[in-house]
Amino acid sequence: MSEFDFGGRRASEFRHRGFWALFAERHPQETARLARRGPWFWQRGLPEFGLVLSMYVAPSENVVGVFFGRNERLGATDVWTRLKPFQPAIEARLKLRPEQSAQNLGINSQWRVNCFAEDNWPAMADWMVTECSRFERAIIEVLGDEGAAMTT
């Protein structure tokens, strides 16, 4: 059994409603910034940049994470293409270790954790909000006033 093998449980066994209820209870400020929500993700809107930050839980992979998502209503489309010129500067501010990111999610951060252990849920929710805020600060620092140009 590998270090991150938690018994091969299926994502459908994860109590996502319970997790997101705890998330909202611990971080009520996120409700005001909610752009979109689904069973596996919560998006924080950054409308001034035409971006959303997606906080997600992937219980079958035992991962929670943050990445720049897609949301047409807020103009968050072609995000990876739009952010590509700024990626080195954003990543330099985030100081992520290689094992913290997935190659297929653009600029992202992951934490491997047993998502099914409900006593981990408070730490998972706190980590996602903290990491999401770090991403937001990096975007503000890198794009600053130029951010509005990304929405046109």
Side-chain angles (χ1 to χ4, degrees):
M1 194 148 77
S2 79
E3 175 184 2
F4 297 113
D5 182 359
F6 297 108
R9 295 180 68 180
R10 294 187 316 264
S12 61
E13 298 175 64
F14 183 72
R15 293 187 336 98
H16 58 85
R17 283 185 181 92
F19 174 75
W20 293 115
L22 177 129
F23 178 92
E25 180 182 304
R26 289 182 72 82
H27 299 284
Q29 75 281 4
E30 290 298 325
T31 302
R33 305 203 52 207
L34 176 63
R36 188 167 169 224
R37 189 178 97 96
W40 312 112
F41 69 91
W42 181 296
Q43 288 184 336
R44 179 192 290 181
L46 304 173
E48 64 275 22
F49 298 108
L51 296 170
V52 292
L53 283 162
S54 294
M55 297 173 269
Y56 70 93
V57 59
S60 61
E61 300 170 31
N62 290 300
V63 168
V64 293
V66 174
F67 70 98
F68 290 96
R70 178 178 172 79
N71 185 310
E72 289 182 16
R73 188 173 51 93
L74 287 184
T77 58
D78 300 319
V79 173
W80 295 353
T81 303
R82 291 171 39 219
L83 288 178
K84 191 71 176 162
F86 308 101
Q87 186 169 350
I90 294 166
E91 289 179 340
R93 280 168 176 74
L94 292 172
K95 295 181 174 88
L96 299 171
R97 296 181 310 279
E99 67 273 12
Q100 281 181 271
S101 298
Q103 293 301 317
N104 61 341
L105 289 178
I107 303 167
N108 72 95
S109 179
Q110 295 182 328
W111 177 32
R112 292 202 169 276
V113 59
N114 181 351
C115 299
F116 290 99
E118 293 184 20
D119 58 341
N120 286 344
W121 289 5
M124 290 163 47
D126 295 351
W127 180 89
M128 285 193 288
V129 169
T130 299
E131 200 67 356
C132 190
S133 295
R134 284 182 359 97
F135 273 59
E136 183 175 2
R137 278 191 305 278
I139 280 294
I140 291 167
E141 290 171 8
V142 171
L143 299 181
D145 294 334
E146 296 174 31
M150 289 188 61
T151 62
T152 57

